[in-house]
Amino acid sequence: MAQQPVAVVCVGMAGSGKTTFMQRINNYLHINEKKPYVLNLDPAVLNVPFEANIDIRDSINYKEVMKQYNLGPNGGILTSLNLFATKIDQIIGLLEKRAKPDASSTAAPPQHFLVDTPGQIEVFVWSASGSILLESLASSFPTVIAYIIDTPRTHSCSTFMSNMLYACSILYKTKLPMILVFNKTDVQDADFAKEWMTDFEKFQQALQDEESRGVFGGEGFGGGSGYMSSLLNSMSLMLEEFYSHLEMVGVSSMTGDGIDEFFDAVERKADEFNRDYKPELDRRIKERQQEKEGKQGEDLARVMEDMKVGESARPKHKERIGGDEDNDEEEDEDEREADQYENVRPDDDEALQRRYAEELKRQGLQVSEIDQSFARYVAQNRQNVP
């Protein structure tokens, strides 16, 4: 059985170098004769430094969406993604066809699907359209999240911890394997981040150094009395288990350093997806399908019950079988009741009210003005029936 392509979804905050990273890994795969299939999901980008096989800009005009729906930049991106998500079945169909070309095709199937997302990370990760796109991809192919981090801006303890918390939220929101990609290592080496993630004492030492320099607010917050230092220390303890579920690589999108390590991590995460994530995903899909079928069954049962009620309101003549006198009497009573119903014409308002009042008295209920008004309403509506 041929190995399925791995979908690599690149997400990252604005300015983290995500698009440049996409260009680098695309170039790397082309050089190694492993041509990928590329998707661009950023409707607001003017130019991309790579050729996209599927581009949201080909079907969605971002500026026109803003104009028609009177939206701002973020609202326009979100609405564009929502519109694009309505065609997700066609997109997945194209990817599946590309992953398994027919015998007449000379092109080799790609080993990777590269997906570029909008720089406004929250618009994609936390939107319904983003969830639909990710779940649809993961239901068909092994899918890995590559979270791009701006390494020079993460050198302080507070910004590092902010990125880790964001990564943690994305991991548990998407429920997909994740790789932390510390980008721009040509400017700032990422060894400090690896130390902080693997050695708790190293992070504590760095935190104490920043606190002694008054990074968290000057003299009033120094000497271990600042709430910021205490908060960061507590969060680092909490995230220690979280770090064990992540792959961390340092790369430079400018020089190409670390790209080999990144794709090694992609292969490991793809195996992890098939081993740990895919069974859970299949279970969730099965539960949703069973819930949907159960709801359809309830709706069908309700319709059938309504049909039975409609039939019981107008008894039908029964064919007499045998000579049972009790049965004959019951059937005669049913026939008389049916005849009484048949004798009520649609335009016979008084007869309908009388029948309604008799039925209420038979059940021991009082006839009120509201009941009579309802009977007149029913009669009036029956007159309009051709």
Side-chain angles (χ1 to χ4, degrees):
M1 181 178 178
Q3 186 178 3
Q4 281 188 303
V6 180
V8 180
V9 182
C10 296
V11 299
M13 295 185 184
S16 61
K18 178 172 54 61
T19 301
T20 310
F21 175 74
M22 275 283 298
Q23 179 193 22
R24 174 58 65 181
I25 60 177
N26 180 44
N27 181 63
Y28 174 87
L29 292 173
H30 274 85
I31 290 175
N32 288 274
E33 298 181 353
K34 299 177 181 179
K35 186 177 179 181
Y37 200 80
V38 183
L39 292 80
N40 173 45
L41 300 183
D42 189 351
V45 66
L46 294 178
N47 297 296
V48 290
F50 51 83
E51 184 178 353
N53 300 95
I54 297 178
D55 197 329
I56 188 174
R57 297 175 301 168
D58 293 337
S59 55
I60 306 293
N61 189 323
Y62 165 69
K63 291 185 178 179
E64 193 64 28
V65 168
M66 290 177 60
K67 186 186 299 182
Q68 287 187 8
Y69 295 96
N70 193 26
L71 299 169
N74 288 343
I77 293 173
L78 179 59
T79 304
S80 298
L81 283 171
N82 290 340
L83 294 171
F84 192 69
T86 61
K87 304 295 182 183
I88 189 62
D89 55 336
Q90 299 178 22
I91 298 165
I92 297 299
L94 287 172
L95 296 180
E96 289 177 343
K97 184 177 180 181
R98 189 67 186 86
K100 297 179 180 178
D102 52 33
S104 60
S105 176
T106 57
Q111 297 181 22
H112 300 88
F113 294 133
L114 305 182
V115 184
D116 192 17
T117 60
Q120 289 77 357
I121 185 173
E122 67 282 353
V123 171
F124 179 78
V125 174
W126 298 102
S127 66
S129 55
S131 298
I132 291 170
L133 291 164
L134 285 175
E135 287 187 9
S136 300
L137 266 178
S139 64
S140 301
F141 308 100
T143 304
V144 177
I145 302 292
Y147 180 52
I148 317 301
I149 299 173
D150 188 343
T151 306
R153 295 183 182 178
T154 315
H155 191 63
S156 68
C157 294
S158 57
T159 53
F160 172 81
M161 192 56 62
S162 297
N163 269 288
M164 294 302 102
L165 287 173
Y166 216 125
C168 181
S169 66
I170 293 172
L171 176 67
Y172 290 107
K173 175 67 171 64
T174 61
K175 297 182 176 64
L176 293 171
M178 177 183 286
I179 303 172
L180 295 182
V181 180
F182 283 84
N183 195 15
K184 305 181 183 180
T185 55
D186 53 309
V187 179
Q188 172 71 55
D189 196 278
D191 289 343
F192 74 93
K194 190 172 184 179
E195 285 184 349
W196 289 356
M197 291 176 65
T198 56
D199 191 340
F200 174 71
E201 292 181 357
K202 290 285 186 182
F203 181 80
Q204 279 190 320
Q205 182 61 47
L207 190 60
Q208 290 173 5
D209 291 342
E210 290 189 3
E211 189 177 15
S212 63
R213 296 198 308 269
V215 173
F216 303 126
E219 296 180 0
F221 294 89
S225 61
Y227 77 94
M228 190 66 171
S229 175
S230 176
L231 177 63
L232 292 175
N233 191 43
S234 300
M235 287 192 296
S236 64
L237 284 170
M238 178 192 70
L239 293 177
E240 190 173 10
E241 177 64 22
F242 164 71
Y243 295 148
S244 63
H245 298 283
L246 297 176
E247 289 273 355
M248 177 267 178
V249 293
V251 304
S252 171
S253 298
M254 293 300 294
T255 65
D257 185 41
I259 300 299
D260 288 318
E261 290 80 1
F262 170 74
F263 279 103
D264 290 340
V266 167
E267 294 303 316
R268 289 193 295 271
K269 286 299 178 181
D271 293 337
E272 182 181 332
F273 175 90
N274 291 321
R275 183 183 67 250
D276 301 331
Y277 287 80
K278 191 66 164 67
E280 174 65 16
L281 181 65
D282 292 340
R283 184 188 64 80
R284 296 204 310 268
I285 293 174
K286 186 178 180 180
E287 284 181 355
R288 284 199 297 267
Q289 184 64 27
Q290 289 175 347
E291 183 180 349
K292 182 179 178 181
E293 291 174 355
K295 188 176 184 304
Q296 290 176 343
E298 291 176 3
D299 293 341
L300 181 59
R302 193 177 298 114
V303 170
M304 296 301 295
E305 187 66 26
D306 291 343
M307 292 175 64
K308 290 178 182 179
V309 170
E311 290 176 358
S312 64
R314 190 175 177 82
K316 298 180 179 179
H317 295 280
K318 296 181 181 178
E319 206 174 304
R320 295 175 181 170
I321 302 175
D324 193 331
E325 293 182 359
D326 292 337
N327 287 340
D328 291 345
E329 290 179 2
E330 291 178 2
E331 290 169 1
D332 290 340
E333 179 64 26
D334 290 342
E335 289 178 5
R336 284 194 297 271
E337 187 176 348
D339 291 339
Q340 288 177 357
Y341 273 103
E342 289 174 355
N343 291 331
V344 179
R345 302 189 310 276
D347 58 347
D348 194 346
D349 185 35
E350 294 181 2
L352 180 60
Q353 291 189 45
R354 187 173 60 254
R355 287 285 302 156
Y356 184 69
E358 289 174 358
E359 181 64 22
L360 289 177
K361 288 178 180 179
R362 188 179 67 81
Q363 297 180 16
L365 303 174
Q366 296 294 325
V367 183
S368 65
E369 282 295 321
I370 297 176
D371 294 329
Q372 293 176 5
S373 299
F374 178 72
R376 285 195 294 272
Y377 170 75
V378 172
Q380 208 169 23
N381 279 274
R382 290 181 64 179
Q383 291 175 7
N384 296 328
V385 178

